Amino acid sequence: MNAPMVLRTALHVVALLVLPPLLLGVINRVKSIVGGRRGPPLLQPYLDLAKLLRKGAVYSRTTTWVFRAGPVIGLAATASAGVLLSMGGAPAPIAFAGDFVLFAYLLGLGRFFTALAALDTGSSFEGMGAAREVTFASLAEPALFLCLLVLARATGSLSLSGMLGPDLDAAWSSAAPGLLLAAIGLFVVALAECSRIPVDDPNTHLELTMIHEVMVLDHGGPDLALILYGAAMKLFLFGALLSRLVLGHGAGALASEALFLLGVLAFAVAVGVVESVMARLRIVRVPQLLVGASVLSAFALVLLLR
Amino acid sequence: MTSALALGAIALTAASGLAAALPGLRPARAQALATAALCAGAALGLAAAAAALAGGEAAAGGALRVDALSGLFLVPILGIGAAGSVYGLRYFPQAERGARAVRLQVFYGLAVAGMALLVCAADAIGFLVGWEVMALANFFMVQTEDEDPSVRRGAFLYLAATHAGTLALFALFALLRREAGSFELEAMEGLRLSGPTAAAVLALAVAGFGMKAGLVPLHFWLPPAHAAAPSHVSALMSGVVVKTGIYGLMRVTGLVDAPPESWGVALLALGGVSAVLGVAFALAQHDLKRLLAYHTVENVGIIALGLGLAVLGRARGIPALVVLGLGGAGLHVVNHALFKSLLFLGAGAVHHATGTRELDHLGGLARAMPRTALLFVVGAAAISGLPPLNGFASEWLVYLGLLDGLRQPGGDLLAYVTLGAPALALVGGLAAACFAKVVGVVFLGSPRSEHARGAHEPPAAMLAPMALLAAACAAIGLFPAATTAPLARAAAAWARVDPALLAAPAARAAAGAARVSAVAAVLLVAALAVAAWRRRRLAGRVAPAQPTWGCAFAAPTARMQYTGSSLAALLLARFTWAIFPRRTEPRLEGPFPAAAPFATAVPDTVLDLALLPVARAYGWLAERARLLYLRRIQFQMLLVLLTLLAVLAWGFAW
């Protein structure tokens, strides 16, 4: 690895670690503006995290080490998934054929332990959240894979860096309809995986209709900070995927960097707009939405398989 | 040399059980001796397997022939066999169980030896001898606790199913002998089959081997039998015995030259259906061991997917598909043996400690049995295919094989094979959901019954084999690249091609696998760093423990927790086309309704809803068809006489 590569990899890691909470700030700001309010400052999520980090913790008598491991593994798995994604002008630090399988399963690892931590409290409330999370996740998984298969077929590459790399621009000119459908499918998957409206409502904790937020009710202090930060990072990863998919590379390192940041911010704005104009779906409708996304992506794939 | 080692392994494991029956020894010592003999035999056999997998020609000697494919199967057969027998020292002690434990020990050794024999057999006769020894020994092991009617039922079902399968195998080998002119497997190699013969060979192989492997819809015997057996026997059956069916499928598909494409497609379809339905059936279960048994159906489906790919690869002449498909299937054979045995041994520890296997009577065991809980979580994550454990490594190889179809131009068959990848993703998600349910309901939360409150950690002799299996799961998961070279050799032995031909794709897979290790290292470092940071952050700032917040409800009880059934309910609603749960719901009436029972039961769709009704209808018909005077012995004698005369007349007329 030569010096510029090291620098770019370092930048990549810094971006992955620093930027995610900003997306939450942007989403909240967009929601406030659409709702006619001024809204909290853009950097509020950072302040929230800092506040949580200053707190201590209370644990339930029912819980075991699994409860404490949940947030740690959740964050570590999401962060290592980020290592497989190219950001800005930098290629992914680690790339290989079939790495997107690892990407999806690392997110699955985080989810598995978050769900276990929820079940560890013995609260029926959190059990309900865990049940919903694993249910919707297992339906989102095929949709995610179908989207990525479309990308793989269009670019002829089996690694995330290749799929979102220079070949993508050429693919857009030859297979635009399929890629567009895949992008829509991926957006729906992103909303579901990151527990945003219309699948989940990240703002209300006390409704019996919630999914992710219910699972983390008994976490507090630094543990909750890890969870919130990990969730923001996951959102950032999906934003990065979509940004690359839709905007492609710019010419030159600086331009591609700028384009990438712009894309991620645009993703946050889009999520904010969706959250402002839509209500959360009824729980029984969510599987239909996810199956719909799968069907859409499967159709895109069949278009490309011809 | 290799075949001599294998012969020694077979002889030693077969005879090991006799040590338990030696007169004049104290029971505990006799059992220890038997276990030591089995472990020594296993060590011999593992040496043979290592030699075969490390390269070198197929070693033939007498009726045995050990090649890399045999070696691949010898590893789980002997490894799990030895681990299970150590576990049995405390799980089924001869000092307490007496003659019953002796009987179990004898048949355990015979089953392991039978399996070792069948994977090393050089001809069909040796194969079938090993097959039957294994099948019958298993029957007696399932029967062990035969005072329980459900055990007798499971054992009978197993016996009926395995012999129906054997019947198909007799026909299969007779057919192959007709084509090849000999029962020697070597003579059958290079057969060219086509048309109806090819179809018949595949149909018979799937019927015979698929029955043992538990491919849907031939899986019906598996859950009752696995639930009925003692836990270390379940581990052996679920982790290893079903794999002999896979071995048979691999051997037979490997024999023929240029297998028809339709074989690959059929195996892929069967595998996909088994994987999805297996995990869906598993989600619905209340009984820990039945649930684990259904997961075997799922994993065998994943293995069949890999095998189907490899067959397709040979039909088309694509080395990459052969390596990735057979390599993925072969690695999953080993991996599934590791984590499924770990889970069954864990289930045995839970049963040992609580006396129940009913999920909804358990809960909170992680406090009383922290080591078991940790090991079970490792197994659960591994079977769900989560990195950095071994389940991911083998599924990743199968994914790569499926994805290879994307490189094919046009709307070719292979491109459509790619659609198996989303199916595998669905299976992975469902398995993770199912094991979140199992771990959550059994080990986490608070105890739901007196059974669970009285739990205790199992003794070291039971924990040690589990720890060993968990360590093996982690080792393969962290360093998958180390497995590609032996897997490529097994693939070359299977496809009977020069290993050099497969070297390039194997090297590519190894390079990818090395990167998987790199990401696993990142994951471990990140997790340790975050954990250390969190520990420092919280030092001295943890408040005294409180009860779980019950949404301001003042008197929560453990019965209010989410149960296994409620966890799975939302997902099962998606599978009502395949699963037909039966519910007895109470009707609550009046302002003060009386206590009312509520129950759900999940019948096996194939066994309870299709096979048994048909069998019952057949029995009813037979009852009606029996003429009244057929019961008289005079009339029966007359029939015998008439038949005899007819046969004589037929003999003379020609």
Side-chain angles (χ1 to χ4, degrees):
Chain A
M1 225 188 243
N2 48 8
M5 275 295 287
V6 172
L7 192 68
R8 290 171 97 175
T9 307
L11 268 178
H12 174 112
V13 174
V14 170
L16 180 67
L17 293 181
V18 173
L19 287 180
L22 181 64
L23 293 196
L24 295 183
V26 172
I27 292 176
N28 282 337
R29 200 56 185 272
V30 169
K31 283 167 80 172
S32 308
I33 292 171
V34 176
R37 292 173 283 123
R38 272 183 57 210
L42 272 179
L43 300 183
Q44 185 63 41
Y46 293 94
L47 303 177
D48 290 346
L49 288 177
K51 181 187 71 183
L52 284 172
L53 289 184
R54 282 198 301 275
K55 297 195 175 197
V58 188
Y59 291 106
S60 156
R61 272 196 281 276
T62 320
T63 58
T64 60
W65 60 271
V66 175
F67 185 78
R68 289 148 185 80
V72 173
I73 297 183
L75 179 62
T78 313
S80 11
V83 172
L84 297 166
L85 214 52
S86 64
M87 289 173 204
I94 300 178
F96 55 96
D99 58 1
F100 67 89
V101 181
L102 185 56
F103 177 82
Y105 274 64
L106 278 171
L107 296 183
L109 175 70
R111 186 188 309 121
F112 184 69
F113 273 91
T114 314
L116 286 190
L119 289 169
D120 202 14
T121 60
S123 150
S124 55
F125 207 37
E126 296 188 35
M128 191 185 299
R132 288 171 180 169
E133 173 99 354
V134 295
T135 301
F136 299 148
S138 60
L139 296 174
E141 206 95 314
L144 174 64
F145 268 79
L146 281 164
C147 295
L148 294 172
L149 284 182
V150 171
L151 276 175
R153 174 74 176 182
T155 59
S157 170
L158 292 184
S159 83
L160 278 172
S161 298
M163 286 179 199
L164 303 170
D167 291 340
L168 192 58
D169 297 337
W172 269 106
S173 58
S174 63
L179 286 177
L180 192 64
L181 287 179
I184 297 170
L186 197 57
F187 188 63
V188 174
V189 171
L191 293 178
E193 289 266 356
C194 301
S195 30
R196 315 300 306 187
I197 292 176
V199 173
D200 191 358
D201 191 338
N203 285 338
T204 48
H205 293 240
L206 300 182
E207 298 284 332
L208 281 168
T209 47
M210 297 306 118
I211 306 168
H212 185 80
E213 301 307 318
V214 161
M215 286 205 301
V216 303
L217 262 184
D218 268 70
H219 290 280
D223 285 328
L224 185 60
L226 290 179
I227 288 174
L228 292 179
Y229 181 53
M233 196 181 275
K234 200 165 165 185
L235 191 72
F236 181 77
L237 293 183
F238 275 97
L241 260 178
L242 268 165
S243 153
R244 262 298 147 76
L245 169 56
V246 177
L247 297 179
H249 269 282
L254 205 64
S256 73
E257 210 75 58
L259 203 60
F260 173 76
L261 282 182
L262 209 69
V264 175
L265 288 180
F267 169 73
V269 172
V271 172
V273 170
V274 168
E275 296 212 345
S276 308
V277 300
M278 278 191 84
R280 199 186 46 74
L281 289 173
R282 282 170 60 203
I283 289 290
V284 291
R285 298 274 171 232
V286 174
Q288 294 173 1
L289 179 75
L290 291 171
V291 171
S294 301
V295 170
L296 209 62
S297 319
F299 181 61
L301 185 62
V302 170
L303 276 183
L304 291 177
L305 282 181
R306 264 185 313 135
Chain B
M1 184 59 197
T2 311
S3 61
L5 282 175
L7 190 66
I10 293 167
L12 206 49
T13 47
S16 67
L18 297 179
L22 280 180
L25 276 181
R26 274 188 292 131
R29 178 124 348 137
Q31 194 182 14
L33 191 63
T35 302
L38 191 110
C39 291
L44 282 184
L46 286 175
L53 282 171
E57 289 296 296
L64 296 186
R65 205 180 60 135
V66 187
D67 63 3
L69 190 59
S70 314
L72 188 64
F73 281 84
L74 276 178
V75 172
I77 289 171
L78 297 168
I80 305 299
S85 110
V86 172
Y87 183 90
L89 283 176
R90 292 304 296 272
Y91 184 77
F92 216 91
Q94 195 171 325
E96 289 166 28
R97 307 290 189 105
R100 191 171 280 190
V102 175
R103 197 181 73 181
L104 185 63
Q105 195 80 45
V106 170
F107 287 119
Y108 192 90
L110 280 176
V112 172
M115 287 189 282
L117 171 61
L118 81 87
V119 297
C120 295
D123 58 19
I125 307 296
F127 179 92
L128 285 174
V129 168
W131 184 269
E132 276 307 292
V133 168
M134 164 192 83
L136 290 176
N138 267 318
F139 166 73
F140 288 113
M141 289 199 290
V142 175
Q143 272 270 46
T144 302
E145 289 166 287
D146 57 0
E147 63 277 3
D148 181 348
S150 76
V151 167
R152 290 199 298 274
R153 179 174 180 269
F156 172 73
L157 203 57
Y158 166 74
L159 195 65
T162 183
H163 279 143
T166 308
L167 212 57
L169 292 189
F170 283 153
L172 171 72
F173 283 115
L175 190 60
L176 285 173
R177 182 177 187 275
R178 195 193 70 181
E179 297 294 315
S182 161
F183 276 129
E184 298 281 322
L185 291 181
E186 204 166 349
M188 294 178 190
E189 282 176 358
L191 277 184
R192 290 197 161 271
L193 301 176
S194 59
T197 321
V201 165
L202 184 70
L204 288 170
V206 166
F209 296 129
M211 181 80 85
K212 184 64 81 189
L215 287 172
V216 170
L218 303 171
H219 68 278
F220 55 86
W221 62 272
L222 212 140
H226 289 194
S231 290
H232 60 303
V233 175
S234 313
L236 189 73
M237 289 184 73
S238 207
V240 187
V241 171
V242 297
K243 304 298 167 42
T244 59
I246 297 292
Y247 172 78
L249 275 177
M250 281 189 181
R251 221 10 129 190
V252 168
T253 49
L255 287 176
V256 297
D257 239 9
E261 245 175 42
S262 55
W263 283 22
V265 176
L267 285 172
L268 276 169
L270 266 174
V273 170
S274 296
V276 174
L277 285 185
V279 68
F281 287 139
L283 265 168
Q285 301 305 313
H286 307 289
D287 178 313
L288 183 52
K289 284 173 74 176
R290 274 182 75 90
L291 182 146
L292 291 176
Y294 274 113
H295 272 287
T296 299
V297 176
E298 172 219 331
N299 282 285
V300 162
I302 295 175
I303 295 170
L305 270 178
L307 179 59
L309 267 176
V311 170
L312 213 52
R314 264 182 73 207
R316 289 280 176 100
I318 307 174
L321 275 193
V322 174
V323 171
L324 296 173
L326 200 91
L331 188 56
H332 208 67
V333 164
V334 176
N335 288 345
H336 177 249
L338 291 172
F339 51 65
K340 181 50 67 68
S341 305
L342 169 58
L343 290 169
F344 261 117
L345 297 184
V350 167
H351 191 193
H352 193 74
T354 62
T356 180
R357 302 194 310 250
E358 189 66 29
L359 286 181
D360 293 341
H361 292 171
L362 296 167
L365 296 188
R367 295 192 148 267
M369 323 168 62
R371 297 199 179 94
T372 312
L374 177 64
L375 295 171
F376 198 92
V377 168
V378 170
I383 198 175
S384 309
L386 296 176
L389 294 162
N390 58 350
F392 177 77
S394 45
E395 283 189 32
W396 177 74
L397 282 176
V398 177
Y399 269 117
L400 270 189
L402 288 168
L403 294 171
D404 212 69
L406 282 176
R407 297 172 188 271
Q408 310 298 324
D412 178 67
L413 173 67
L414 269 179
Y416 282 97
V417 164
T418 311
L419 291 174
L424 206 48
L426 175 67
V427 171
L430 291 175
C434 192
F435 276 95
K437 157 183 151 174
V438 174
V439 175
V441 173
V442 173
F443 290 101
L444 307 178
S446 38
R448 290 179 174 79
S449 70
E450 284 309 317
H451 298 294
R453 256 183 286 279
H456 54 86
E457 194 82 276
M462 283 164 71
L463 273 175
M466 290 164 62
L468 199 69
L469 293 174
C473 287
I476 296 183
L478 288 174
F479 305 104
T483 63
T484 40
L487 288 174
R489 273 185 214 108
W494 172 76
R496 286 176 296 103
V497 296
D498 185 11
L501 194 64
L502 304 181
R508 274 206 303 278
R515 305 248 162 79
V516 172
S517 300
V519 178
V522 171
L523 174 69
L524 286 185
V525 169
L528 289 178
V530 176
W533 172 85
R534 178 187 162 281
R535 177 180 279 267
R536 271 193 54 196
R537 189 90 219 161
L538 279 174
R541 289 203 291 174
V542 177
Q546 298 291 319
T548 297
W549 184 61
C551 314
F553 185 70
T557 74
R559 289 189 57 213
M560 292 176 183
Q561 289 175 96
Y562 238 47
T563 61
S565 320
S566 41
L567 262 164
L570 202 56
L571 263 175
L572 283 184
R574 308 281 123 213
F575 283 98
T576 43
W577 52 271
I579 302 168
F580 308 95
R582 293 170 181 158
R583 311 158 62 94
T584 44
E585 268 176 278
R587 279 178 61 88
L588 299 183
E589 280 168 349
F592 298 106
F598 169 85
T600 60
V602 189
D604 186 276
T605 307
V606 173
L607 178 66
D608 298 316
L609 301 185
L611 281 181
L612 286 184
V614 168
R616 264 196 292 275
Y618 187 75
W620 183 85
L621 266 181
E623 195 70 25
R624 295 294 166 287
R626 194 169 58 179
L627 292 172
L628 211 53
Y629 41 95
L630 264 183
R631 288 184 193 160
R632 300 185 180 190
I633 190 130
Q634 295 91 331
F635 191 78
Q636 290 173 5
M637 294 295 285
L638 182 66
L639 278 183
V640 170
L641 191 67
L642 286 179
T643 313
L644 199 64
L645 285 177
V647 169
L648 283 174
W650 188 68
F652 280 120
W654 274 268

